Amino acid sequence: MAIVAEIFLSSEALPLVELARALPNREISLSQLIRLEGSRYLFMICIAADARAAFEAAASEQSDIVDVIPIGETPDGWFYQVVTERDSDVLESHDPTQFEGVLMEARITGDGWIERKVFADYDALSTLRDRCEVYELPFELLSISLNPENPSERAQFGLTDRQFEAIRTAFSLGYYDAPRTASTAEVARELGISAPALSDLLRRAEHRLIGQTVANGSALKPIAGR
C-alpha cells in the first residue's frame, strides 16, 4: 500500500521562495514541476486573485525567472506558467528518476516548500530525505497518511500521539538511518525529554507499529525494520 507524506523543505535557495515572500499571503500553489533543458524548470502555479499585481511586479525583478506566461483566472485564483533558470543545483534532489515519489501538490511559501507526495514505501521516502541531505536541503516530515485517495485521513498506525511524534521526529533527524546520523540524546533533546524516556517511548512505538503493519499483513515496511 502506498503512503502519502507531507514534507516541509525550509530553504530560501529553492525556486520561487523569494517571490512568494513578496505576495500579500506569502504563498504560491504549485501543481506541476517539469525539468526543461539544462538548468531550466517549468512551474505550473496558481496565486490568489488579489495577488496578481504584486506577483507580476515581483516576478519581473527576479533574475532567475526567464518567462512568465499568464494562463487565466478561475475561482481558485490566477494560473501561470513560470520558467526559471538558475545556477543552484538544489532541485537535483527532486529528480523524479531517482526515487519513487510522485508530487500530489505543493505550496511555496516565504519560508520554503510544503509538499505532499505519494511514495511506494518508507525506503522511497528515505531516499528523498537522503538526497535532500546531500544537497543540504533541510527536510522535515510533517505527517504520513496511509490512504492516497483520502490524504486528510492521517494515519498514526495505532500509535498514541506521543509515540507518533517521537518516531516521526526520530525518523526526520536520521535516527533510523544506516549508519545512524542522530543519537538518542539528540532526538530526546529535540523532544524535550530524557534519553531513557525516549528509548522507552520508541521501543513501545516500534512494537505497536510492527503489530499494526507486519502482524496484520500490511505491505508497509515498519520504520524500525528498514
Side-chain angles (χ1 to χ4, degrees):
M1 181 184 295
I3 60 174
V4 173
E6 189 176 25
I7 301 157
F8 176 46
L9 307 173
S10 65
S11 174
E12 296 183 0
L14 287 165
L16 307 188
V17 169
E18 185 177 350
L19 181 58
R21 196 178 298 123
L23 304 185
N25 65 345
R26 292 172 56 92
E27 185 171 300
I28 297 170
S29 295
L30 172 65
S31 59
Q32 193 170 6
L33 172 61
I34 301 172
R35 183 167 191 170
L36 305 177
E37 295 182 356
S39 57
R40 290 196 173 198
Y41 287 85
L42 172 64
F43 294 82
M44 308 288 195
I45 66 168
C46 178
I47 61 168
D50 61 358
R52 185 185 183 190
F55 169 80
E56 293 186 352
S60 66
E61 298 176 356
Q62 300 289 316
S63 60
D64 61 327
I65 295 179
V66 298
D67 201 6
V68 176
I69 305 169
I71 302 302
E73 186 180 17
T74 76
D76 294 327
W78 273 91
F79 284 82
Y80 289 85
Q81 291 182 354
V82 177
V83 178
T84 67
E85 182 173 20
R86 52 196 295 155
D87 296 333
S88 172
D89 60 356
V90 66
L91 281 183
E92 293 292 335
S93 63
H94 280 49
D95 185 345
T97 66
Q98 300 298 321
F99 62 92
E100 302 176 54
V102 177
L103 179 68
M104 297 180 68
E105 63 178 2
R107 289 183 290 122
I108 301 174
T109 74
D111 300 312
W113 288 17
I114 301 174
E115 301 180 332
R116 190 149 54 86
K117 290 187 171 182
V118 179
F119 296 90
D121 50 33
Y122 281 108
D123 286 342
L125 175 58
S126 294
T127 298
L128 174 60
R129 202 271 314 274
D130 292 343
R131 287 179 59 80
C132 287
E133 183 177 348
V134 168
Y135 290 95
E136 299 182 345
L137 187 58
F139 178 105
E140 181 181 353
L141 180 63
L142 299 178
S143 67
I144 299 176
S145 169
L146 282 172
N147 185 358
E149 296 182 357
N150 187 13
S152 62
E153 185 181 301
R154 294 182 179 181
Q156 293 192 183
F157 314 104
L159 305 181
T160 67
D161 289 344
R162 286 191 70 219
Q163 290 170 347
F164 183 78
E165 178 64 15
I167 211 163
R168 182 187 70 84
T169 301
F171 178 87
S172 295
L173 294 178
Y175 180 83
Y176 290 106
D177 284 359
R180 181 173 289 173
T181 58
S183 67
T184 303
E186 289 170 330
V187 178
R189 186 162 52 248
E190 181 72 16
L191 292 168
I193 61 178
S194 68
L198 174 67
S199 295
D200 180 64
L201 195 59
L202 290 179
R203 183 169 58 254
R204 287 185 282 112
E206 291 160 1
H207 183 272
R208 180 169 293 189
L209 181 61
I210 293 171
Q212 291 292 321
T213 54
V214 173
N216 289 333
S218 170
L220 286 173
K221 297 180 181 178
I223 293 177
R226 289 193 294 109

